[in-house]
Amino acid sequence: MKRNLFYLLPLLLTLGVACSPKSDPIVIPTPTGTFNGLFRLLTKNSTTGKYDTLKDTIILKMNASFHFAVVADTTVKHAGSHGTFAFDSNYIQFNDSTFKASAPRTKNHLVGVYQYLYDGKNFKMLRASSSINPDTIGRYDLVKSAN
């Protein structure tokens, strides 16, 4: 009997902690402010199998009413744009109002769903293998520069 209670005790303790009403809520910081940094586009070379990298410096402005704008000298590989965004603890979605899916693209737009990390200062986003080009990876490494 004692041996059965010994095996049952960890289960009861786990259930007790899991059902406890004393849990701290997880606060997800809203990514707002002005962010400066680098956009990288990695494209798989079909001949060598290695990735080619294109870089562009961007400025991303995000506000508390869930609007964004990509500004700065966007002449290299990233288009200037604006629109709305929504996020949860793992993913952020951008709805670019300047993006037209049917139009030919020479520059990348901040559109679609990205996996992200934000700690209040550093803002990193990654989007791998879009349906348009499955051999590309878009990566943003941004740092908050102003509120």
Side-chain angles (χ1 to χ4, degrees):
M1 182 70 174
K2 287 182 183 180
R3 191 171 77 177
N4 289 341
L5 287 176
F6 179 73
Y7 291 118
L8 190 60
L9 185 60
L11 177 65
L12 292 174
L13 288 174
T14 304
L15 287 174
V17 170
C19 296
S20 173
K22 297 179 182 179
S23 62
D24 294 331
I26 298 171
V27 178
I28 303 166
T30 304
T32 58
T34 301
F35 299 90
N36 295 321
L38 234 108
F39 163 72
R40 291 182 184 99
L41 181 67
L42 292 91
T43 306
K44 189 173 185 178
N45 186 315
S46 59
T47 306
T48 64
K50 296 182 180 181
Y51 281 90
D52 299 326
T53 305
L54 296 170
K55 297 178 186 179
D56 201 356
T57 302
I58 68 163
I59 297 173
L60 174 62
K61 295 183 176 186
M62 302 173 76
N63 63 33
S65 61
F66 305 106
H67 286 84
F68 78 92
V70 176
V71 295
D73 181 15
T74 56
T75 58
V76 181
K77 199 60 186 162
H78 203 289
S81 60
H82 58 84
T84 60
F85 70 93
F87 68 99
D88 64 14
S89 60
N90 296 314
Y91 299 98
I92 188 164
Q93 179 175 358
F94 293 94
N95 301 308
D96 184 352
S97 58
T98 65
F99 177 74
K100 306 281 186 257
S102 61
R105 273 184 267 150
T106 57
K107 295 183 181 181
N108 289 286
H109 284 256
L110 186 56
V111 64
V113 178
Y114 294 78
Q115 195 169 18
Y116 82 100
L117 294 170
Y118 179 58
D119 63 4
K121 181 175 177 167
N122 297 302
F123 189 40
K124 298 182 182 296
M125 297 184 294
L126 181 69
R127 181 173 184 182
S129 299
S130 69
S131 60
I132 297 162
N133 190 350
D135 293 333
T136 62
I137 298 170
R139 179 179 170 162
Y140 295 81
D141 292 309
L142 308 171
V143 176
K144 189 171 187 174
S145 58
N147 289 328

